[in-house]
Amino acid sequence: MNASYFAGWLVFRCLFVTYFRTRYLNPERVPLRGPAILAANHASFLDPPLVGCGLSRAMNYLARESLFRFPLTGSVLRSWNAVPVDRDGGGAGGLKAILDRLLAGGAIILFPEGTRTRDGKLQPARAGIGLTVIKSTAPVVPVHVFGTYRAFGRHLRFPRPHRVAVKYGRPLFFATLRAEAQACSKPRLKEIYQQVADEIMTAIAALEPHEDKEIFP
């Protein structure tokens, strides 16, 4: 972590631990070095820093390209390893930037659902993350975030002090599908992208809440 990233990490970490009484489970499942994709459900603007603050390694984040147009904001975002993407996050430039970070040995947080849930429930995965996974060699760590919809979902203007938690799953590798994608037809390739995305969402859903309801609301 550079100094700016560590300062931001420390501020957010203190906020999550005190205001939201955050609990992190199994962060040791995330590789400490080398490329990695963390795939999490998305219920709130809190999710990206929340997932990253549970880890001792620096993460790469997606941020709207328009935010980089402002000198101060752009400088801070770059120091926090933010990757500029278009509004939908599906442009060729954004994909290349993500793959470049992975190729350089970085870890990045992605959201298979593509956007925040409107009702607090898990949404179907979009094929975009499948494309990213197939074009990279990085393991995929499923991550389930709990409580952030109640804490700061779409329906809230300000964050509430509701307890939140993050559970990290075991890495997925997709070696068989990556090998098949090297020589399959275009229709099958599209199926593979969606299949990977669906398997990731299944793994996220399988990260069941802890028995302690005080930890997992």
Side-chain angles (χ1 to χ4, degrees), residues 168-185:
Y168 302 88
R170 300 186 186 280
L172 309 172
F173 295 94
F174 298 104
T176 301
L177 289 176
R178 280 172 168 151
E180 182 183 353
Q182 296 297 316
C184 69
S185 65

Side-chain angles (χ1 to χ4, degrees), residues 43-46 116-121 147-160 162:
S44 167
F45 285 133
L46 298 174
R116 290 170 296 153
T117 177
R118 294 186 177 277
D119 58 7
K121 299 178 181 179
T148 56
Y149 178 75
R150 293 185 181 181
F152 193 35
R154 286 177 177 268
H155 58 298
L156 298 175
R157 295 184 63 185
F158 301 100
R160 294 178 178 176
H162 189 276

Side-chain angles (χ1 to χ4, degrees), residues 125-201:
R126 298 184 180 181
I129 191 170
L131 184 153
T132 302
V133 169
I134 291 300
K135 288 188 175 295
S136 74
T137 59
V140 180
V141 179
V143 182
H144 201 141
V145 176
F146 300 86
T148 56
Y149 178 75
R150 293 185 181 181
F152 193 35
R154 286 177 177 268
H155 58 298
L156 298 175
R157 295 184 63 185
F158 301 100
R160 294 178 178 176
H162 189 276
R163 176 163 287 192
V164 301
V166 182
K167 189 171 186 178
Y168 302 88
R170 300 186 186 280
L172 309 172
F173 295 94
F174 298 104
T176 301
L177 289 176
R178 280 172 168 151
E180 182 183 353
Q182 296 297 316
C184 69
S185 65
K186 288 186 177 180
R188 174 55 184 156
L189 188 59
K190 291 182 179 180
E191 291 177 355
I192 288 176
Y193 294 157
Q194 189 61 57
Q195 182 178 343
V196 169
D198 292 341
E199 289 186 17
I200 290 172
M201 281 306 301

Side-chain angles (χ1 to χ4, degrees), residues 4 67-82:
S4 175
L67 296 176
F68 289 81
R69 298 172 186 169
F70 305 98
L72 179 59
T73 304
S75 178
V76 171
L77 288 174
R78 290 185 184 92
S79 70
W80 287 356
N81 302 331

